[in-house]
Amino acid sequence: MRRLPRLRALHEALILSACRDSHGPLNSDVMLLTDMNQVLRRFVIAHLLIALGNCVALSQSSNKQPIAEIPFAFDHTSVVIQVRLNGKGPFNMVLDTGSDVATIDLATAKNLGLNLKSTARQVTGGGSEKSQVFLTQIPQVEIGDLASKNIVAVAVDLSKSSQVLGKPLHGALGYGVLQNRIVQFDYPKRIIRFYSTSPYPKVDPTSNNRVVLSFRLGDDSPIIDDVYVNGKKIRAVIDTGGGGTYFALMPEAISALGLEQAMSQAEPDSRGAGLNGVITSRKGKIKTLKVGSINIDSPTIIFYPKGVGKDNRKYSGAIGNVFLQDFVVTFDYPNKTVVLEGP
């Protein structure tokens, strides 16, 4: 665009030269000037079109660039990011698509001076213990360059979760920071990206390395219907807070699918820890698992018995990080789609 003033100067110089030249025929001068004028106009228009095309291309390219990008630690297959709360930190927090409200460690909430309101309500979460729970609100949460304000949270003692994780865990962030956003979990590169528009504007559902699934929100968590256990269709949540989990079945689903015997033959497993303490479960195999077009034979899964905080959910199964860890997983909350892109 910096060439345009030079073109205008050249145009004016040609006109001035023609006016001063009294030796040639006037008509031929006028025709020459007319021709030059048309050429210059076409030249300017061509440059403007090229510049406009470059601007559009740059805009499209910019839309595919993340608006925020941060690394995450994959400790015990949990997605742990570092965030700032009310301008302080960093704090270790799990980024959890399976959580409807945020969670903050009680000691951390007190240190931040958050307003805590006691509640007699039992917090929803794994574990069979009863924990003291407070309602609170975090005025500002910063994930890289992305800030969210007034995030509703529950404050609870997370010391047992920290022991399982092997380092201090200050909380978990869920739907409060994810709603209306497009977030990408790049498990192979251990990076979280947030986008203003989808990095997959036109996704081929038949692509060999991509699986595109529609989801709906249940308890503010992404639930998909295209899941089959031993050939029977169920609903499952995609749970990035599911550290150590490949796939898990809820108590009601175990009965509905006739898998009580499979659960009884499964080995005890109590490595997990939820908001209400250690989660007692069992680990065993099923015949087949199908998620979209992804088929798995004889996978090892988690069976949740009754009374461990997994009852009465709006879904029958949970897809966890052990399943997701080989994919780049992009949740498009505005359009209710999730893309699993393999290597």
Side-chain angles (χ1 to χ4, degrees):
M1 295 300 295
R2 285 180 291 182
R3 294 183 180 179
L4 291 179
R6 297 181 183 178
L7 289 173
R8 293 192 189 100
L10 176 59
H11 193 187
E12 292 169 359
L14 285 170
I15 295 174
L16 182 60
S17 174
C19 292
R20 289 177 177 173
D21 188 359
S22 59
H23 299 289
L26 181 60
N27 289 339
S28 62
D29 286 343
V30 172
M31 291 177 63
L32 176 61
L33 285 171
T34 302
D35 291 342
M36 286 300 297
N37 191 30
Q38 292 176 352
V39 170
L40 286 170
R41 283 181 179 176
R42 291 173 182 172
F43 188 69
V44 170
I45 291 172
H47 272 66
L48 287 173
L49 290 174
I50 292 172
L52 180 60
N54 289 337
C55 289
V56 171
L58 180 60
S59 174
Q60 292 174 343
S61 175
S62 299
N63 286 340
K64 293 184 179 181
Q65 297 301 314
I67 57 176
E69 181 176 288
I70 58 168
F72 69 84
F74 205 43
D75 300 309
H76 292 270
T77 62
S78 293
V79 176
V80 181
I81 60 175
Q82 291 198 325
V83 305
R84 295 182 65 81
L85 305 176
N86 294 352
K88 299 179 180 180
F91 296 99
N92 297 322
M93 303 192 84
V94 171
L95 191 58
D96 183 3
T97 58
S99 177
D100 53 349
V101 297
T103 304
I104 185 169
D105 177 61
L106 183 56
T108 303
K110 290 179 178 178
N111 289 337
L112 289 172
L114 299 184
N115 183 25
L116 301 174
K117 182 179 180 182
S118 181
T119 174
R121 187 178 58 141
Q122 179 75 19
V123 66
T124 301
S128 55
E129 303 173 14
K130 291 186 178 180
S131 301
Q132 186 179 20
V133 178
F134 297 86
L135 294 178
T136 188
Q137 189 177 75
I138 308 173
Q140 180 161 302
V141 176
E142 295 174 70
I143 304 175
D145 296 329
L146 196 71
S148 300
K149 296 184 180 296
N150 301 323
I151 300 301
V152 176
V154 293
V156 63
D157 180 15
L158 294 178
S159 57
K160 290 185 178 179
S161 295
S162 295
Q163 291 174 7
V164 173
L165 190 64
K167 67 181 183 183
L169 179 65
H170 302 104
L173 297 172
Y175 185 69
V177 300
L178 298 174
Q179 62 179 321
N180 301 321
R181 297 195 186 277
I182 299 169
V183 58
Q184 183 177 82
F185 293 71
D186 188 335
Y187 285 89
K189 292 184 179 180
R190 305 288 193 262
I191 293 175
I192 298 291
R193 303 182 185 95
F194 287 88
Y195 292 88
S196 59
T197 59
S198 174
Y200 306 107
K202 293 182 180 179
V203 178
D204 181 6
T206 63
S207 175
N208 291 331
N209 67 334
R210 286 180 188 166
V211 176
V212 184
L213 300 166
S214 298
F215 70 78
R216 52 194 171 79
L217 293 174
D219 292 330
D220 293 332
S221 301
I223 297 174
I224 59 175
D225 294 316
D226 197 7
V227 178
Y228 295 82
V229 172
N230 294 347
K232 296 181 179 179
K233 190 173 184 178
I234 68 167
R235 298 171 181 171
V237 63
I238 303 180
D239 183 10
T240 62
T245 302
Y246 185 85
F247 185 81
L249 283 174
M250 305 301 118
E252 292 82 5
I254 294 169
S255 299
L257 294 170
L259 293 173
E260 294 95 338
Q261 184 176 356
M263 183 178 72
S264 67
Q265 295 173 347
E267 63 183 62
D269 181 79
S270 58
R271 293 175 298 164
L275 293 180
N276 296 312
V278 176
I279 304 172
T280 302
S281 59
R282 303 186 75 86
K283 182 172 67 175
K285 289 186 177 292
I286 56 175
K287 293 179 181 178
T288 60
L289 173 65
K290 183 174 181 288
V291 178
S293 59
I294 303 171
N295 294 280
I296 306 99
D297 293 324
S298 191
T300 299
I301 71 163
I302 298 297
F303 296 92
Y304 285 127
K306 295 180 180 180
V308 297
K310 300 292 184 178
D311 305 275
N312 303 316
R313 298 300 175 96
K314 293 185 178 180
Y315 45 83
S316 300
I319 300 167
N321 285 330
V322 179
F323 182 100
L324 300 171
Q325 65 182 342
D326 295 324
F327 298 93
V328 176
V329 185
T330 305
F331 295 89
D332 185 338
Y333 280 85
N335 293 302
K336 302 293 188 297
T337 59
V338 58
V339 178
L340 280 69
E341 184 168 16

